[in-house]
Structures are given as C-alpha cells and as structure tokens.
Amino acid sequence: MLDAVFRLDFRVFEAYSDEGTELREFAGPGEVLMSGQRTASQLMLFAEDSGPAPVIDRIELRPHLGAPASFRFSCRGWGLIQLQIEGLVKDGQLGRCHTNHNTQKRAEKWADVYPELGIPDDWDWAAVTRASGRLNRAIRSMAVDKVGSHPVLPQAADAIGRLRLVYEYGSTLRAESLPDIAR
C-alpha cells in the first residue's frame, strides 16, 4: 500500500511526531516502515497543487511537569488526506486501515475554530477528492479479499489465515475462539 501512496506523488508526513522530536516527512515506503512505529502509522498525505503547504504545529505536553520530552508536533491542513495503517494490535487482533479527508463544507463549518489552518477556499477541493479517489482505487485494486465492504490486502489475508482470525461485526478481526471440546 505504501508503494502506491508514493507512486501517486503524495508528500507523506507523519500525523504526529514522537515526543521531543521534529515532525518527519517521508521520502519513500522504507522510511515509513523504519520510523519506529510498530503497530500503527498515522500519516497525512498532501496532494501536490491541491492547496497550501501543511501546517506544522508544536503541541506542548505536560509542560508543568518539566519532563524532558514535553512537546511533539502535528501536521494539519484542511485538504490533507489521512491514512491510518494498523498492523497486528493487542491480543492477536488485526487492526483496520482507513483513509479520510475533509470536505469543503466541513472545513468551512470549522474554519472559525481553527483559523491557523487558513481559509478553506484556498484548497482545490476537486483535486483533493480526485487524489483521495485515486488512492482508494489503488488500494482496492491490490485487494485479494473483502471483509464486509473493506478490501483485504495480501499481507493482511496472510495474517488472517495464519492466525485464524475471524471478523466480528462492528469490531476488528480477532483470534478465532477454540471449540469447546469438554462438552
């Protein structure tokens, strides 16, 4: 999936930096995989020529405690596309991955609350929607199965089979319960 993200010419940022470090922009899939985030990556994708550059904000964490890592950075922007990549998570569950982006209507509704993000009209919303659609089509084209309406990529299908995971409606994929052989 990350190969597709970079083939589609997105600028790829982490949504939040690690505590006490600068926010990273990734140049390729290997950098994302080596970023130290073992179970999940929250990425922000910027489609070139869709709008102003992303806003990088410093977030103060526990400054009153004087902790050495009392800050982190976030990447924000009205027309950025969020990509959440979850791998195996606690208790043998396989997390979901998803993409999402704002609409112009939603951005306009929240513009007064987040003036630091600029004016929603500065974004080319058709370009944001096209870029998001291309990403979702690329992901669906790689799918080897579906869980409900969600595409399942080859690595996830392998984990589902190897770990005998089953889908519980409204939840995630979990380890299959063993049959009750005592009865």
Side-chain angles (χ1 to χ4, degrees):
M1 176 172 29
L2 290 173
D3 288 332
V5 167
F6 285 94
R7 268 195 320 273
L8 293 171
D9 293 326
F10 286 108
R11 287 182 62 194
V12 179
F13 299 86
E14 59 187 348
Y16 297 95
S17 71
D18 292 333
E19 290 184 20
T21 65
E22 296 292 320
L23 191 95
R24 293 175 284 195
E25 179 175 0
F26 301 110
E31 288 184 18
V32 176
L33 295 173
M34 298 302 292
S35 68
Q37 299 178 25
R38 288 172 183 68
T39 59
S41 291
Q42 295 178 7
L43 303 174
M44 299 301 275
L45 310 180
F46 175 61
E48 292 290 343
D49 299 325
S50 65
V55 174
I56 309 300
D57 285 329
R58 181 181 167 118
I59 301 169
E60 299 299 326
L61 305 172
R62 306 176 303 276
H64 61 284
L65 298 177
S70 61
F71 67 92
R72 71 194 292 187
F73 290 91
S74 70
C75 180
R76 302 186 309 152
W78 291 123
L80 296 181
I81 300 166
Q82 302 94 32
L83 174 60
Q84 172 81 27
I85 302 172
E86 292 189 14
L88 287 176
V89 292
K90 293 184 216 175
D91 303 323
Q93 297 179 15
L94 184 64
R96 293 184 185 174
C97 301
H98 72 272
T99 66
N100 200 7
H101 68 276
N102 274 319
T103 62
Q104 183 173 5
K105 184 176 179 179
R106 183 178 186 281
E108 288 169 351
K109 178 180 176 182
W110 287 93
D112 290 341
V113 178
Y114 299 105
E116 67 275 12
L117 297 183
I119 301 166
D121 284 345
D122 290 345
W123 287 86
D124 180 347
W125 292 99
V128 171
T129 301
R130 278 191 308 273
S132 180
R134 279 193 308 272
L135 175 62
N136 286 313
R137 283 188 301 279
I139 292 169
R140 283 192 306 272
S141 75
M142 292 181 277
V144 295
D145 200 358
K146 280 187 177 184
V147 171
S149 63
H150 305 284
V152 176
L153 300 184
Q155 298 87 344
D158 179 59
I160 291 167
R162 188 171 25 84
L163 300 173
R164 296 178 14 170
L165 302 178
V166 294
Y167 176 68
E168 293 179 6
Y169 181 76
S171 184
T172 189
L173 289 159
R174 302 179 182 277
E176 182 176 33
S177 57
L178 296 173
D180 186 359
I181 56 174
R183 291 186 195 183

